[in-house]
Amino acid sequence: MNTQSSVLPLAGYRVVDFGWVWAGTVAGQIMADMGAEVIKIESRRRLDGLRLGRVFEVGETLELNHHFHNFNRNKKSLTLNISQPRAQELIRQLVSRADLVLENFTPGTLRKYGLDYEALREVKPDVVMVSVTAAGQTGPLNDMLAYAPVMQSIAGFDGLVGYEGGPVFGVKQAYLDVMSALFACYAALAALHHRDATGEGQHVDVSGFDVGVSLIPDVLMDYTANGRVAGPQGSSHPTMAPHGTYPGREPDSWIAIAVTDEREWIQLGEALGNPPWCGESRFADLAGRLAARQELDALLATATAQHVVGDLTAELQRRGVAAFPVHNIAGVFFDEHFNAREIFRQVDHPVAGPGYVYQTPWRFDGEPAPIRRHAPLLGEDNHEILVGLLGLSEDEVARLQAEEVVY
Amino acid sequence: MALAPTQRPGALATLRVVELGDFIAVPFAGKLLADLGAESIKIEPPFVGDASRRVGPFPGDVPDAQTSGLFQYLNTNKLGVTLAVEQPSGTDLFRRLVAEADVLLDGQTPAFWDRLAQRDGADPRDAARGTVVSVTGFGQTGPYRDYRSEALITCAASGVSAAIGLPKEPPLSLPLSQSHYSAGLNAAIAALLATFAARKSQGPGPRVDVSEAEAMATFISGVGIQSFVAEERIRMRMGHRSGHSPHLNATLPCKDGFVTFDTPQKRQWLRLLALIGSEDDPAEVDPLSPDLPGQIEAKLRPWLMSHTKAEIFALCHERRIPMAPVNTAADVLASEHLAERGMFVQNGQWTMPRLPFIFSQTPVAIRRPAPTLGEHNEEIFARRLGLTPGELLRLRRARTI
């Protein structure tokens, strides 16, 4: 992509970002990375939990939390105390000059402040608003207080995660937060596309619960069609065997291997030095390997345990077999391919110094989206927006600060 | 008269998409575009079709290329043609199709295009005047560019698998090919962004490179990158518990299944202990205990075993204690909340989830079911591209279409 900020895909679009913590915030992050002017509305009255490190760990000041830095790079910060009528008025003025509003408050919160979709349409008839919440704007559970690990359970997701025949573990990592943020971003782009084509804005309701359900269609459809209720799956797969993770020679090293056909099965055997069980007729075809899956996994584990997983991966890939080490974050950070692709970038922050953030993971004409700016300091862009954009005088701003409107 | 949802144009009604990709990643990206109203032409290999046609689930477990649930879900709203893109006559038709499209979704390996570029002197994708979004396991460049991958592999590579399962046992994946869904969603976002970019310049739209492994290595694992660099923090596998959580964040058994709690705020787990305790036997823990989660769990477990998922959820929901039942497919389909939100739609013989957005003005809708194999060959190749019946017959016999 042309990395000059004036020619990035979303250059010229202005976003009012009420997002806090993860899901709403990352939708804004993507749009900021892609060139939109994303104005994060925050306030000392109720700080984004990530500034304080409440959700992840305790940070020491408002400017040191690296999760905050990651999710809010390329954005601007405007401190407005949303509970104050004058602040609400200023936000409405801002929205009248914006294209999109992103928010992930509990349903009903913005209505309390006169900043819900109906109210904002009065100042900007074609405004696009995307609301992303745990369980959506409507329905008996719309007030549900929950984080991703909980929504992953209610959506039917977690029940599939555990060893076969064992207890449910659940995913635990916040996969649904990421997917909700991405769906919200997608919805925003689609709604903006429609608005650009027709002049019509709209409100989009994105629910984490809905997101989880939409990502496990086959399990749900196997139930509606055949009455089957799936439980913990282990690493097994209905049409591939072997398919799973197997130990390597070094402590806590594992290799993921997936074999789809007979050619790959033979190649796997050769790469392992043709242990005698590889040639057994019961393993010769997929049906046989699926039937004797557990025994196969145990035998394969004894073979892989003699190899360094990186070396075995290279050998298997050379032979056209899908294999890869199970990386933890250290593995990802030091991996030669991910380094060549520069998926993490150092960004200099005025208070915290240099810190790593992840790169938005797609390249346009070979170029990733540039990280143009550090995550904003609290209220860093107050002057530019209040005076420069909204036309307030310096005196007015000072007064509003004293009144804790700009706060 | 208000139009019924299936008659109102979608948000992407002005977009034209061609899709060449198998199984889940590219087709899910294509579904995201098609369900929002884009005109989408899905190219499948002649006779064999998309792999998801063979995977099921099938009604009554009877395999049939048209009734696979996964295929039906992923390919709603698309027109379907068959085309052997690698055959020279097929490549010609492919070039003509993509010349008219705003978006080409491409799930082929880099090696596939290398071979055709070598044969023809140019990459066939160059014929696309709109944007080309290519989705592969590891991306178009780098040492692993040509690596074979499956969802298991990219999940392992991304760092996500290392934190699922038990400490000394094999790491597990996200369920059911999640890597592919994640890649598809990333690709759909990138496709729309590329259409915004294309409006800003003359010439062909951007060529976009989406890597399935990187999509998760960044958005999911990459959240912890600075923690790792600065403090050597690595998220551990801890079975039913969340790896590094100092509070209760765990999945625990109850009378009729499992429930999950995540209570990052002290007042939340205090309310929980108050719920399960009584005057005679208050449930108390030492808040300074180095294993606070374990302590809370120990108090919880007996109480949970004497209550059902529904009872626990009702009690906790009204006390704003963040938790949920570990729902099975049956529970999900029985959810009043989801029913009220119209989460499940009827599509022919299938009941299937809708996409997770509710647009106030341009509702997502199933305007046509997933195509039969080659259903729109006539419409696209003859009526749109002008092939004669003789040409079509010749191409069919040659197994080009």
Side-chain angles (χ1 to χ4, degrees), chain B residues 343-399:
Chain B
M343 188 66 210
F344 293 98
V345 295
Q346 203 56 36
N347 177 15
Q349 65 186 298
W350 280 108
T351 301
M352 60 175 58
R354 58 162 170 77
L355 284 176
F357 342 84
I358 301 180
F359 284 77
S360 65
Q361 299 304 113
T362 57
V364 174
I366 298 178
R367 297 173 185 84
R368 64 167 87 242
T372 59
L373 192 59
E375 181 173 346
H376 301 98
N377 280 355
E378 189 72 36
E379 181 181 326
I380 302 297
F381 294 128
R383 286 204 288 279
R384 256 197 230 188
L385 296 190
L387 266 60
T388 66
E391 285 169 318
L392 280 179
L393 182 58
R394 193 168 31 92
L395 290 168
R396 280 199 191 100
R397 284 181 175 151
R399 300 163 89 94

Side-chain angles (χ1 to χ4, degrees), chain B residues 175-243:
Chain B
L176 298 178
S177 308
Q178 285 308 302
S179 310
H180 293 329
Y181 288 98
S182 157
L185 179 53
N186 274 264
I189 293 171
L192 284 190
L193 287 166
T195 63
F196 281 86
R199 286 191 241 153
K200 289 175 149 65
S201 64
Q202 316 288 62
R207 272 49 185 146
V208 186
D209 170 357
V210 177
S211 151
E212 189 169 283
E214 282 168 22
M216 299 198 303
T218 53
F219 284 124
I220 309 177
S221 302
V223 165
I225 188 59
Q226 182 60 16
S227 290
F228 167 68
V229 170
E231 300 151 48
E232 290 182 4
R233 273 224 219 182
I234 297 179
R235 194 186 174 108
M236 310 265 69
R237 292 195 284 296
M238 286 188 62
H240 70 285
R241 283 200 202 172
S242 180

Side-chain angles (χ1 to χ4, degrees), chain A residues 67-122:
Chain A
H67 290 98
F68 185 88
H69 297 165
N70 199 349
F71 294 157
N72 295 288
R73 81 291 187 102
N74 285 330
K75 294 185 191 176
K76 297 182 178 171
S77 170
L78 172 63
T79 48
L80 282 174
N81 182 348
I82 203 178
S83 67
Q84 296 265 21
R86 183 74 177 109
Q88 294 158 14
E89 210 180 291
L90 287 168
I91 291 170
R92 278 193 290 272
Q93 279 181 43
L94 185 60
V95 170
S96 75
R97 292 166 166 80
D99 302 286
L100 170 69
V101 178
L102 294 171
E103 65 103 4
N104 62 331
F105 290 120
T106 317
T109 303
L110 285 179
R111 179 166 301 114
K112 234 170 37 186
Y113 301 128
L115 295 173
D116 59 318
Y117 176 65
E118 281 67 37
L120 294 177
R121 265 183 58 175
E122 316 243 310

Side-chain angles (χ1 to χ4, degrees), chain A residues 145, chain B residues 263 265-277 315-316 318-322:
Chain A
L145 170 65
Chain B
T263 55
Q265 295 176 20
K266 185 172 179 182
R267 61 179 184 234
Q268 291 165 345
W269 55 261
L270 281 177
R271 284 202 291 268
L272 176 59
L273 293 174
L275 168 63
I276 70 175
L315 289 166
C316 289
E318 99 193 337
R319 288 164 177 73
R320 299 188 66 66
I321 298 165

